[in-house]
Amino acid sequence: MRRRRVARRRLLSWIWLLLGSFSVAGLVLFMVQHRHQQQDPSQLNLERDTSNNNVSPPRLNFTEEVTSASSFARQLAEQMTLAKAYVFIAKEHNNLHLAWELSSKIRTCQLLLSKAAMRAQPISLDEAKPIVTGLSSLIYKAQDAHYDIATSMMTMKSHIQALEERANAATVQTTVFGQSVAETVPKSLHCLMIKLTSDWLTEQASSRREAADESRNSPRLVDNNLYHFCIFTDNVIAASVAVNSTVANADHPKQLVFHVVTNRVSYKAMQAWFLGNDFKGAAIEIRSVEEFSWLNASYSPVVKQLLDTDSRAYYFGDQETNSEPKARNPKYLSLLNHLRFYIPEIYPQLEKIVFLDDDVVVQKDLTPLFSLDLHGNVNGAVETCLEAFHRYYKYLNFSDPLISSKFDPQACGWAFGMNVFDLIAWRKANVTGRYHYWQGKNRERTLWKLGTLPPGLLAFYGLTEPLDRRWHVLGLGYDVNIDNRLIETAAVIHYNGNMKPWLKIGIGRYKPFWLKFLNSSHPYLQDCVTA
């Protein structure tokens, strides 16, 4: 019995051993088969792709074909480009037959390239050979006619120079035309001036003239406890918007006094407008520059220069001899433009005043300007040197030793248009005398070319207090990319440049800020606009 049990156990052991061996073998076979199956799909795909390729060839990338150094497409494209140049040169030499032959071959070449791109297959030798041969023959023919590379380069260079000259001439012409439009009085404004002047001259307007005489003698005009503003202009509408916007944003309008100086031509219209409209109780004085008899050629170098024949010829002479189109602007010959340097003499009893250009719009109360500490300086102004071209060297001739020895070329420029002036400090520093000195030195226009800013930079050098930029934002007459947030937070926005808001060429995006303070409901304005 014991032997049978031992034999049975041995048999079971062999059976289990055989089962284990089969299991291991089966596992190994499974793993090998699984791995083989993972590799097979790619092989099958490759075989499938290969079979597909045999059925339909891949589509041609024509861009790569044209740029390939060995392709007929590139050879054709290069020959066609060269042929186009010879067409141009042949026409210049009046060889119209050769130009026609080249053009015909170019069209054939373009047609073949187009067909190759449409069918997405490369150009064959049989297709390219006749065109390449024909183009080569015509190009050699052009070279035999002395249209070689040197001739081609010289011809192209002369054409480039001619195009550059035409472009420069067009740029100058554009500047001249743009400035001419800016200088032209719009018909509506001319119409308004005539209507207002007519009103002033009628008998019914005698009461207004009496009111004007009374306002000229008002004690408010010399009261230093009030807030004084001065504007020098011959533009009725512009002056009205500047005054109206200042009044509209003032906390106490009745404490404001406006001193407007104009010329003899605009004086009556200006008086009629400001007396016939309500400005919330603000005092408004209208004067004519011709009243200032002391401002004559014997006292003022600038008056002498404005009357000088050579100066007038420089500003209004032949365009071809005048290299500065901007210099032809009549405002540079207007005494109103230079009155800003005589403010203490025009208003001898005032101590502080804010100067406003006529192309500004006021958006906040400006009375805090009068309490600003200027630290003994004369002029409070916003600096404009955030970019390099607004520094002194941009406006003045630093090759002149008189300028280079006294001024820093990197000194920061600043803006006219909204300035607070301490007239006591002005008189003490004799700024007007400084202005006269530099005007006298610039008789030949060697220190600066034009404008009132350069002499202002010289006269107020070391006497200017920089103000926060938000007091005065410039550029609305030429820059179309001013940030709206900057405009909305500004106390004063300035339409400096040719594109004034009262002109058709004004920048449409900025016009609403100006129109907001124009009394468009006035019957004269409505009549003149419709007329």
Side-chain angles (χ1 to χ4, degrees):
M1 287 293 291
R2 188 176 292 175
R3 287 179 180 176
R4 287 179 180 175
R5 289 177 180 174
V6 171
R8 190 179 294 171
R9 287 177 182 173
R10 286 179 179 175
L11 181 61
L12 289 172
S13 298
W14 279 106
I15 292 172
W16 282 110
L17 180 62
L18 289 171
L19 288 172
S21 299
F22 282 121
S23 298
V24 170
L27 180 62
V28 171
L29 287 172
F30 174 77
M31 292 177 66
V32 171
Q33 181 69 16
H34 180 68
R35 184 176 179 183
H36 180 70
Q37 287 176 351
Q38 285 183 325
Q39 292 175 349
D40 280 350
S42 63
Q43 294 174 357
L44 291 172
N45 288 338
L46 180 59
E47 292 173 1
R48 190 178 298 114
D49 290 343
T50 305
S51 64
N52 287 339
N53 287 340
N54 293 331
V55 175
S56 59
R59 291 184 66 82
L60 176 71
N61 187 330
F62 198 71
T63 302
E64 293 179 0
E65 178 74 6
V66 172
T67 57
S68 173
S70 60
S71 70
F72 291 116
R74 176 170 176 175
Q75 186 175 351
L76 286 169
E78 289 177 348
Q79 277 201 314
M80 186 172 62
T81 302
L82 184 59
K84 286 180 178 179
Y86 280 124
V87 168
F88 181 78
I89 296 169
K91 287 181 178 179
E92 287 294 314
H93 289 80
N94 205 29
N95 192 341
L96 300 182
H97 181 69
L98 177 58
W100 178 84
E101 287 183 308
L102 285 166
S103 298
S104 178
K105 282 294 181 186
I106 289 170
R107 285 192 294 271
T108 305
C109 182
Q110 288 172 333
L111 182 61
L112 178 57
L113 290 170
S114 177
K115 286 180 177 179
M118 292 286 289
R119 73 190 184 199
Q121 291 182 3
I123 297 172
S124 66
L125 175 61
D126 292 337
E127 292 174 316
K129 186 176 180 179
I131 300 177
V132 170
T133 303
L135 277 174
S136 298
S137 175
L138 289 172
I139 289 171
Y140 287 136
K141 186 177 179 181
Q143 290 174 346
D144 288 340
H146 304 294
Y147 305 155
D148 55 10
I149 298 299
T151 303
S152 303
M153 289 178 63
M154 292 299 295
T155 303
M156 292 296 183
K157 186 176 180 180
S158 64
H159 278 284
I160 290 171
Q161 290 176 342
L163 287 173
E164 287 178 348
E165 290 175 1
R166 289 172 63 184
N168 292 334
T171 301
V172 172
Q173 199 73 357
T174 301
T175 303
V176 172
F177 287 157
Q179 192 163 297
S180 298
V181 173
E183 294 164 11
T184 303
V185 178
K187 288 193 294 184
S188 58
L189 181 55
H190 184 68
C191 164
L192 178 66
M193 294 278 287
I194 292 174
K195 284 179 174 291
L196 291 171
T197 303
S198 176
D199 266 7
W200 183 258
L201 295 174
T202 59
E203 294 181 1
Q204 291 81 0
S206 58
S207 59
R208 289 185 180 178
R209 290 197 289 271
E210 291 175 3
D213 292 337
E214 290 179 7
S215 66
R216 291 286 296 270
N217 298 317
S218 172
R220 298 172 65 188
L221 301 181
V222 294
D223 187 349
N224 283 298
N225 293 315
L226 302 177
Y227 303 106
H228 295 265
F229 299 84
C230 62
I231 304 172
F232 306 137
T233 180
D234 59 354
N235 188 323
V236 174
I237 292 299
S240 176
V241 169
V243 172
N244 195 34
S245 61
T246 307
V247 168
N249 289 285
D251 292 337
H252 305 286
K254 292 183 179 180
Q255 296 182 13
L256 305 185
V257 181
F258 293 91
H259 305 268
V260 180
V261 179
T262 187
N263 56 25
R264 184 185 293 109
V265 174
S266 304
Y267 176 78
K268 297 178 179 64
M270 199 79 74
Q271 283 280 23
W273 179 267
F274 280 100
L275 287 172
N277 289 277
D278 177 34
F279 294 94
K280 297 186 178 181
I284 300 175
E285 174 197 27
I286 310 295
R287 300 178 71 180
S288 172
V289 67
E290 285 79 12
E291 296 177 27
F292 309 137
S293 57
W294 49 269
L295 192 58
N296 50 49
S298 61
Y299 170 66
S300 170
V302 71
V303 174
K304 185 176 182 180
Q305 290 172 21
L306 294 180
L307 297 175
D308 183 67
T309 305
D310 292 338
S311 294
R312 300 186 73 85
Y314 173 78
Y315 288 113
F316 291 108
D318 185 9
Q319 288 188 6
E320 295 180 359
T321 61
N322 193 338
S323 60
E324 282 282 358
K326 290 194 299 183
R328 306 176 65 81
N329 197 323
K331 74 177 184 180
Y332 297 123
L333 281 179
S334 170
L335 191 55
L336 288 174
N337 198 44
H338 296 267
L339 281 186
R340 64 194 70 192
F341 294 102
Y342 297 98
I343 293 174
E345 292 166 277
I346 298 172
Y347 310 108
Q349 294 175 286
L350 297 184
E351 298 175 355
K352 188 171 281 190
I353 198 167
V354 169
F355 167 77
L356 296 175
D357 264 339
D358 64 353
D359 53 354
V360 304
V361 170
V362 177
Q363 301 186 128
K364 296 184 185 298
D365 184 16
L366 296 187
T367 56
L369 285 170
F370 291 84
S371 58
L372 287 178
D373 185 2
L374 299 183
H375 301 98
N377 287 310
V378 176
N379 172 29
V382 169
E383 292 182 331
T384 56
C385 60
L386 296 175
E387 299 178 20
F389 55 82
H390 284 146
R391 297 186 182 274
Y392 268 48
Y393 72 85
K394 175 63 178 178
Y395 303 100
L396 303 167
N397 178 18
F398 274 88
S399 64
D400 191 297
L402 187 61
I403 295 293
S404 59
S405 64
K406 295 180 181 294
F407 302 97
D408 177 9
Q410 294 297 328
C412 199
W414 45 266
F416 264 136
M418 197 291 298
N419 306 78
V420 53
F421 292 125
D422 184 335
L423 300 183
I424 296 175
W426 182 316
R427 297 180 184 102
K428 184 177 179 180
N430 190 24
V431 174
T432 302
R434 288 186 178 196
Y435 169 69
H436 283 172
Y437 171 81
W438 288 112
Q439 282 287 359
K441 293 293 184 182
N442 195 45
R443 284 190 298 270
E444 304 300 323
R445 294 175 293 280
T446 57
L447 304 185
W448 70 88
K449 291 293 184 184
L450 49 87
T452 53
L453 182 56
L457 296 176
L458 300 177
F460 291 100
Y461 187 70
L463 299 173
T464 298
E465 180 71 15
L467 303 181
D468 188 293
R469 188 186 179 196
R470 290 170 294 182
W471 278 113
H472 185 191
V473 170
L474 297 103
L476 279 76
Y478 67 89
D479 187 353
V480 298
N481 295 314
I482 303 175
D483 192 334
N484 270 350
R485 292 170 296 180
L486 187 61
I487 295 174
E488 290 165 2
T489 58
V492 174
I493 54 175
H494 194 169
Y495 292 81
N496 57 311
N498 283 337
M499 291 183 278
K500 303 298 185 187
W502 54 85
L503 299 175
K504 287 185 178 180
I505 61 171
I507 301 172
R509 180 180 153 219
Y510 305 140
K511 281 189 176 184
F513 299 106
W514 188 84
L515 292 171
K516 178 181 177 181
F517 298 102
L518 178 66
N519 184 11
S520 302
S521 61
H522 194 284
Y524 283 179
L525 277 177
Q526 291 186 341
D527 290 347
C528 288
V529 168
T530 55

